[in-house]
Amino acid sequence: MSLPRLRVRKRRRLGPGGLTPGRLLPGLIAVALTVALATPSASERKAPVGKDGKARTTGTVAPRANVDIATVEFARAEQPIGVVSRRDDQTLYVIEKPGRIRAYRNGAFDPTPVLDIVERVDSANERGLLGLAFSPTARDLLYIDYTDTRGVVHVSEVPFDGRVADMSRERVLLKIPKPFNEHNAGTLSFDRNGLLYIAIGDGGSSGDPKGNAQRVDVLLGKILRIDPKPSANLPYSIPPENPFAGRGASSLGTVKAVKARPEIIAFGLRNPWRAAVDADTGDVWIPDVGESKVEEINRIPAGSNSAANFGWSLREGRQSFKGPRPKNAVDPVFDYPHADGRCSVVGGVVYRGSAIAALQGRYVFGDVCSGRVQVLDDPMPGRGRATDLGARVSYLTSFGVNPDGELIATSLEGGLYRLVPAAT
């Protein structure tokens, strides 16, 4: 397996099936289940520059936002990589990478898992049970994304009675083979209309050697949007507003004309780790883990009818990687270099809670290597600036919200944390 050009400085044991988001932590599963944390050297920490000497990233990080937050650990799980809540339900659902979904309610985990598919999941390297979403229109269904023991990504619908899911009645919507172990992404998210968004990585390996991200005839390196209801020809339906619904790809300026997959709404992505739909606005937030120099956060505004090309692998962030800027490429809202201990973006959520008023309506995210929790100040391409919220989460893997809309962060080391205003 080809790994990014990162220098290994130390090793830490994280337990079975250590994870690196996108590299998640940069490519780092080692022998005897030991994960090697790659720390860039001083020369590697410099921001990438062009011929004009100017940095090709737009992100700057101010010392602090106008609010500080703190982390409060409230539970521990096995390799938690996501938390999900649903309307009119006081349960917090925790995704464990080895293949379980656990319900946290009334201050404790239910002893019976909502779902346990450990035996059918390959959770080594970057694989595992990676996504969970609850339909806003069908209370008796949940949706999962997992990698089976053959390395095939499954997106499935599973009946749910409010306590346990019935995998004997699993209905597979998509099976997506992958050429390599890396870049699975795996986030699932519904919009308020009941359409399901699916984040799929480019399939690996280093540099996207198959060119999947720029191909619109394959599903790898994409954001997909489907209606889970079956159609005449598929186990799901294609929303008519999808950019490629009923037409081809000739308008994209791709290398050769191919029949575009109608599920695609965005392409040119490497590993969109923890993409999310803002249910209030319909905006889609897409962090994308970079190859070796740049991390980025992208956004599809609500109501956009064009297929967004975010540029990978022709470019990484705003700089060239394999070629020129693609025709009609969409610039990141925010991108930042591998500097100050940062190396791998962790996607977040738009905060809609009430406990931290200064964050209302703003996008909170982080970085797995630095553990820094940050907030984005401007959602427009080229104008993004991130400010530090003062909190750190070791081996940060995801953000979510509890049933009250308040922020939760997870760590691969097992911790689940509430993000709260810091004591003054």
Side-chain angles (χ1 to χ4, degrees), residues 271-276 285-289 296-298 345-348 363:
N271 191 33
W273 181 251
R274 292 308 175 234
W285 290 87
I286 310 167
D288 199 19
V289 177
E296 63 185 87
I297 295 173
N298 304 287
V345 67
V346 175
Y363 183 73

Side-chain angles (χ1 to χ4, degrees), residues 13-46:
R13 185 174 296 277
L14 292 185
L19 171 70
T20 64
R23 279 175 317 268
L24 216 291
L25 303 170
L28 312 176
I29 306 306
V31 193
L33 305 177
T34 301
V35 175
L37 174 61
T39 305
S41 66
S43 62
E44 288 169 328
R45 288 197 296 267
K46 295 179 181 178

Side-chain angles (χ1 to χ4, degrees), residues 133-376:
F134 292 96
S135 169
T137 58
R139 298 287 292 177
D140 59 346
L141 296 172
L142 60 78
Y143 297 82
I144 55 174
D145 180 300
Y146 67 92
T147 314
D148 71 15
T149 54
R150 295 174 295 119
V152 176
V153 173
H154 289 234
V155 177
S156 296
E157 176 187 276
V158 186
F160 177 58
D161 66 6
R163 287 282 175 171
V164 295
D166 185 359
M167 280 298 289
S168 70
R169 297 164 59 200
E170 174 188 19
R171 188 170 72 88
V172 178
L173 305 181
L174 283 166
K175 286 186 180 182
I176 306 174
K178 292 179 69 272
F180 302 99
N181 291 335
E182 309 98 337
H183 311 170
N184 293 266
T187 314
L188 303 179
S189 187
F190 275 97
D191 66 17
R192 55 193 168 192
N193 298 316
L195 300 182
L196 179 61
Y197 292 69
I198 304 162
I200 302 290
D202 67 12
S205 166
S206 178
D208 189 14
K210 304 288 187 181
N212 290 319
Q214 286 296 313
R215 291 179 56 183
V216 293
D217 59 332
V218 299
L219 298 182
L220 297 170
K222 312 295 189 294
I223 301 294
L224 315 178
R225 180 172 60 194
I226 63 173
D227 183 337
K229 297 183 181 66
S231 63
N233 301 317
L234 295 168
Y236 53 88
S237 300
I238 301 297
E241 62 270 31
N242 278 13
F244 299 134
R247 58 191 179 90
S250 59
S251 63
L252 288 177
T254 51
V255 174
K256 55 184 179 181
V258 293
K259 178 65 175 177
R261 291 292 298 260
E263 299 91 343
I264 296 169
I265 64 166
F267 63 108
L269 295 163
R270 182 176 179 273
N271 191 33
W273 181 251
R274 292 308 175 234
V277 178
D278 180 358
D280 280 31
T281 65
D283 293 349
V284 186
W285 290 87
I286 310 167
D288 199 19
V289 177
E291 175 76 17
S292 58
K293 292 182 178 179
V294 182
E295 306 298 302
E296 63 185 87
I297 295 173
N298 304 287
R299 171 175 163 264
I300 303 175
S304 175
N305 294 319
S306 300
N309 182 358
F310 293 111
W312 176 256
S313 61
L314 294 176
R315 64 175 184 168
E316 180 184 15
R318 294 169 189 271
Q319 70 178 28
S320 175
F321 186 80
K322 284 186 175 179
R325 185 179 190 272
K327 179 182 178 182
N328 300 324
V330 177
D331 287 335
V333 170
F334 178 72
D335 56 344
Y336 63 88
H338 291 183
D340 301 323
R342 299 175 296 169
C343 77
S344 188
V345 67
V346 175
V349 294
V350 176
Y351 178 68
R352 303 290 181 188
S354 58
I356 315 174
L359 299 184
Q360 184 64 232
R362 297 166 71 186
Y363 183 73
V364 177
F365 70 101
D367 185 277
V368 74
C369 294
S370 71
R372 297 165 73 172
V373 179
Q374 300 174 270
V375 62
L376 194 64

